[in-house]
C-alpha cells in the first residue's frame, strides 16, 4: 500500500498538520503541568492555612466549642463541598470540627510524629477519572504524647480529578492542527494553481502543434520563471522542428536529382539496348552514384559532428595541419601561406582536416589565380584564414551560405561535385570545437576566418 500522498498539496498539508500537532502537543503538555501544579499549590496553601489556624487555636485553648466556623470556601457553595473541613482529634475521638465534618469519624488514621508535626497528602477514593480526591493536611498541635491532631481536608478541583483539563487541551490541539492543515491546503493550492495550468497546457501541446504557449503569470517568482523557461524551450523546439522538416525536405530534393538521372539512364538502356552506348551509360550511372554517395556521406557526417564526446580529442598544431593539407593537394593555382607555428588547439583531427578541405575546395573552385592561407594568434584563439581572389560573396549572403544545401552559384557548384553541405559541415565542426567560422570583408574575393580556442 502506498502511504505517501502523491500530490505536493496533500503531502505539504500532511507534513504541516503533523508538525503542528507535535508542536501543539508539547505546548499543551507544558500548560497541563503548569496548571496542575498551580491548582495543587493553591489547594495545599488554603488547606494548610485552615489547619494552622485551628492548630494555633487548640494550642492556645481558644476553641470556643465543638463547632469550628468555616473561614474559607466559596460563597456559592454554602454546603461546604469545596470548603476546607477540619477535625480536631484527641485520643482517637473527634473533639471539634467544622459543620460539614461534625459527627463523622476521623478523616484519616495519619498520626504525625513529634519530629515531623506537619504532613500533607492527597487521598483518593474510587477509581478512574470519576473518583474523589482530597488534599489532606495533618498537624500535631504539640510535641506532647497526648497531643491533639488537626485534620484539614479539601476536595481537589474536579478539573484535575476528572481529566477534563487534558480533554480540553486535546480538543484545542486537534482544532489548531486542523486549522493549520486547512490554511496549508488553501495556500499550497493557490500557489500551485499556475503550475497545474502550465502542466495542462504542456500536456495539450504536441509535436504537431508547437505554436501554442503556456500561460505566463506576472511577476518574477519561480513559477513565472518556470513558465518563461517552458515557453523559451517551446520556441527553440518549434524552430528546431521547423529546421528539421526543412532539412528533410531539402535532403530528399537533393537525393532525387541523381536518383532520377540514374533511373532515366537505366530505363533508356533497358528500352533501347541496341542504341545504348554501354560505356557512356555506365559512366553516367557511376557519376550519379558518386553524387548520391557524397550527399549521404555528408549527411551522416553532419549528424555525427559533436556526438563523440571529448575522448577523440587530441592536441593539434594548426599550422602543421594546414601545411600538411596544402602539401597533400596539388593545385594549379598560386598558394601563398603565412603560418605561425606552435599554436595548438584541442580537437578531432579528422574533422578539422575536413573543415580545412571544404574551405580549400571552395577557394580553389572560385579563385581566379591565387589562394592565401594564414595561421596566427588572435587573443585567446588560434586564427586560420583562407582567402581567394575570386568573385567573393555578397554581404547579404554571408550567413545564408552556411545553411544546408544553399548554393549561390548552383551550376558551378553542382558541376564541381559540391553537395551544398560543405560550409554547413565546416561551421558545425568549428562550433563543436567551441570555435566560430565566419566570412570577413576583403577587398577582393572571399575570406573565411576560423577561430578556435588555444589549448591550455
Ligand atoms: P558547395 O557544395 O555548393 O560548394 P558549400 O556549402 O561549400 O557548398 O558552399 C555553399 C555556397 O557558397 C556555394 O554554392 C557558393 O555559391 C558559395 N561559396 C562558397 N565558397 C565560396 C567562395 N570561396 N567564393 C565564392 N562563393 C563561395
Amino acid at each position: 500500500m502506498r502511504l505517501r500522498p502523491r500530490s505536493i498539496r496533500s503531502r505539504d498539508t500532511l507534513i504541516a498538520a503533523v508538525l503542528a500537532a507535535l508542536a501543539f502537543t508539547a505546548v499543551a503538555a507544558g500548560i497541563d503541568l503548569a496548571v496542575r501544579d498551580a491548582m495543587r499549590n493553591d489547594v495545599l496553601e488554603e488547606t494548610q492555612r485552615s489547619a494552622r489556624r485551628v492548630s494555633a487555636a487548640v494550642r492556645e485553648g481558644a476553641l470556643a466549642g465543638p463547632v469550628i466556623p468555616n473561614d474559607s470556601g466559596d460563597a456559592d457553595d454554602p454546603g461546604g463541598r469545596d470548603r476546607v473541613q477540619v477535625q480536631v482529634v484527641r485520643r482517637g475521638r473527634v473533639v471539634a470540627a467544622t459543620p460539614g465534618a461534625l459527627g463523622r469519624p476521623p478523616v484519616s488514621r495519619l498520626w504525625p510524629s513529634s519530629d515531623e508535626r506537619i504532613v500533607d497528602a492527597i487521598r483518593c477514593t474510587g477509581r478512574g477519572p470519576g473518583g474523589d480526591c482530597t488534599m489532606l493536611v495533618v498537624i500535631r498541635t504539640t510535641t506532647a504524647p497526648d497531643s491533639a491532631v488537626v485534620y484539614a481536608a479539601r476536595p481537589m478541583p474536579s478539573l484535575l480529578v476528572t481529566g477534563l483539563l487534558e480533554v480540553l487541551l486535546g480538543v484545542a490541539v486537534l482544532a489548531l492542527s486542523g486549522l493549520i492543515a486547512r490554511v496549508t491546503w488553501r495556500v499550497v493550492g493557490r500557489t500551485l494553481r499556475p503550475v497545474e495550468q502550465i502542466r495542462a497546457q504542456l500536456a495539450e501541446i504536441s509535436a504537431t502543434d508547437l505554436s501554442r504557449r503556456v500561460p505566463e503569470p506576472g511577476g518574477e517568482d519561480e513559477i513565472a520563471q518556470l513558465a518563461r523557461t517552458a515557453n523559451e524551450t517551446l520556441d527553440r523546439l518549434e524552430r528546431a522542428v521547423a529546421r528539421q522538416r526543412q532539412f528533410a525536405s531539402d535532403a530528399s530534393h537533393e537525393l532525387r536529382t541523381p536518383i532520377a538521372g540514374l533511373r532515366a539512364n537505366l530505363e533508356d538502356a533497358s528500352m533501347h539496348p541496341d542504341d545504348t552506348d554501354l560505356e557512356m551509360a555506365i559512366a553516367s550511372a557511376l557519376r550519379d552514384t558518386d553524387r548520391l554517395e557524397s550527399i549521404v556521406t555528408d549527411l551522416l557526417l553532419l549528424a555525427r559532428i559533436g556526438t563523440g564526446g571529448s575522448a577523440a580529442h587530441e592536441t593539434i598544431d594548426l599550422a602543421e595541419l594546414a601545411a600538411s593539407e596544402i602539401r597533400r593537394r596539388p593545385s594549379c593555382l598560386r598558394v601563398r601561406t603565412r603560418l605561425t607555428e606552435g599554436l595548438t588547439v584541442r580537437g578531432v583531427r579528422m574533422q578539422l582536416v575536413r573543415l580545412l578541405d571544404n574551405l580549400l575546395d571552395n577557394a580553389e573552385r572560385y579563385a581566379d589565380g591565387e589562394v592565401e592561407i594564414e595561421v596566427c594568434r588572435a587573443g585567446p584563439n588560434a586564427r586560420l584564414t583562407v582567402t581567394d581572389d575570386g568573385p567573393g560573396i555578397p554581404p547579404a549572403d554571408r550567413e545564408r551560405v552556411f545553411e544546408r544545401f544553399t548554393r549561390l552559384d548552383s551550376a558551378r557548384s553542382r558541376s564541381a561535385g559540391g553537395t551544398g553541405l560543405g560550409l554547413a559541415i565546416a561551421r558545425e565542426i568549428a562550433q563543436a570545437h567551441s570555435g566560430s567560422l565566419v566570412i570577413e570583408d576583403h577587398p577582393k574575393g572571399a575570406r573565411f576566418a576560423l577561430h578556435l580556442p588555444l589549448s591550455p
Side-chain angles (χ1 to χ4, degrees):
M1 197 175 69
R2 191 190 156 93
L3 287 175
R4 207 160 159 244
R6 269 174 197 278
S7 78
I8 293 178
R9 195 182 189 188
S10 329
R11 209 179 309 152
D12 285 0
T13 305
L14 186 68
I15 290 171
V18 169
L19 289 180
L22 287 177
F24 288 138
T25 304
V27 172
I31 292 175
D32 187 48
L33 286 178
V35 169
R36 276 184 169 277
D37 208 40
M39 287 178 96
R40 188 187 170 283
N41 285 343
D42 272 3
V43 172
L44 179 65
E45 237 173 66
E46 190 190 339
T47 316
Q48 272 181 347
R49 211 181 311 121
S50 296
R52 281 177 199 282
R53 180 182 59 84
V54 174
S55 166
V58 170
R59 250 196 329 271
E60 290 157 13
L63 274 189
V67 180
I68 304 169
N70 283 324
D71 73 336
S72 64
D74 195 336
D76 298 339
D77 184 24
R81 154 106 188 105
D82 281 343
R83 288 181 184 176
V84 184
Q85 300 297 344
V86 186
Q87 287 179 329
V88 180
V89 177
R90 198 187 289 272
R91 292 191 199 92
R93 275 185 47 238
V94 176
V95 294
T98 47
L102 213 56
R104 295 201 182 166
V107 291
S108 168
R109 287 174 188 280
L110 215 61
W111 203 261
S113 66
S114 48
D115 299 336
E116 197 184 351
R117 286 175 43 231
I118 305 178
V119 176
D120 62 72
I122 294 175
R123 290 286 154 89
C124 291
T125 57
R127 288 168 172 270
D132 266 345
C133 287
T134 311
M135 171 62 76
L136 184 67
V137 174
V138 187
I139 301 181
R140 184 181 175 125
T141 53
T142 66
T143 52
D146 61 343
S147 163
V149 171
V150 174
Y151 292 92
R154 190 206 189 285
M156 293 296 282
S158 57
L159 195 65
L160 302 187
V161 180
T162 56
L164 184 62
L165 180 62
E166 284 72 24
V167 171
L168 289 177
L169 286 170
V171 170
V173 166
L174 284 179
L176 285 173
S177 307
L179 186 71
I180 296 281
R182 193 177 157 74
V183 170
T184 311
W185 177 261
R186 279 172 164 253
V187 170
V188 175
R190 194 171 310 154
T191 311
L192 290 181
R193 200 174 303 143
V195 176
E196 173 52 25
Q197 286 168 354
I198 293 170
R199 189 207 61 74
Q201 188 74 346
L202 276 177
E204 275 183 35
I205 295 171
S206 65
T208 48
D209 185 12
L210 284 170
S211 60
R212 290 169 67 176
R213 294 291 175 267
V214 300
E216 282 187 25
E220 278 301 317
D221 62 13
E222 288 83 349
I223 295 176
Q225 287 177 22
L226 169 74
R228 260 201 304 283
T229 309
N231 280 341
E232 282 163 15
T233 307
L234 285 170
D235 281 345
R236 278 201 299 276
L237 204 59
E238 191 182 8
R239 282 200 298 272
V241 168
R243 259 203 319 271
Q244 209 63 33
R245 287 213 182 100
Q246 184 61 42
F247 177 58
S249 121
D250 290 346
S252 317
H253 184 75
E254 286 297 320
L255 290 170
R256 248 173 46 194
T257 315
I259 289 173
L262 199 57
R263 186 183 182 90
N265 249 327
L266 292 173
E267 278 176 356
D268 211 28
S270 99
M271 281 193 319
H272 315 285
D274 298 334
D275 298 344
T276 304
D277 180 341
L278 195 61
E279 226 168 274
M280 263 178 63
I282 290 175
S284 167
L286 277 175
R287 266 198 311 280
D288 286 334
T289 315
D290 280 349
R291 184 153 185 74
L292 277 173
E293 200 180 354
S294 5
I295 294 175
V296 171
T297 308
D298 279 359
L299 286 175
L300 264 176
L301 177 66
L302 258 178
R304 283 193 192 136
I305 293 169
T307 59
S310 56
H313 282 50
E314 56 186 291
T315 303
I316 298 163
D317 186 312
L318 212 53
E320 251 172 47
L321 184 96
S324 78
E325 275 314 293
I326 294 161
R327 266 198 309 276
R328 208 177 52 77
R329 314 163 54 101
S331 172
C332 46
L333 299 166
R334 203 150 65 85
V335 177
R336 287 206 301 154
T337 55
R338 277 193 288 165
L339 308 177
T340 311
E341 303 227 335
L343 298 175
T344 56
V345 297
R346 294 279 303 162
V348 183
R349 180 176 291 274
M350 219 188 69
Q351 291 185 359
L352 292 180
V353 165
R354 179 64 198 261
L355 187 164
L356 192 57
D357 266 353
N358 288 1
L359 296 185
L360 292 175
D361 279 349
N362 282 345
E364 281 173 10
R365 193 179 302 154
Y366 293 96
D368 281 344
E370 186 178 278
V371 176
E372 185 186 270
I373 296 120
E374 184 182 4
V375 171
C376 62
R377 190 190 180 112
N381 295 318
R383 172 182 156 92
L384 180 149
T385 54
V386 176
T387 314
D388 63 65
D389 58 354
I393 299 174
D397 293 323
R398 285 183 188 168
E399 269 308 298
R400 209 160 67 80
V401 288
F402 289 103
E403 286 169 18
R404 295 161 186 195
F405 300 117
T406 300
R407 293 188 188 92
L408 301 180
D409 177 0
S410 188
R412 190 169 177 179
S413 166
R414 269 217 183 82
S415 65
T419 59
L421 291 168
L423 288 180
I425 290 175
R427 180 171 262 186
E428 292 262 350
I429 292 175
Q431 287 173 347
H433 285 75
S434 311
S436 64
L437 176 65
V438 291
I439 300 171
E440 292 181 346
D441 280 335
H442 193 252
K444 179 158 172 46
R447 166 169 286 176
F448 287 83
L450 166 74
H451 287 92
L452 292 176
L454 283 165
S455 65

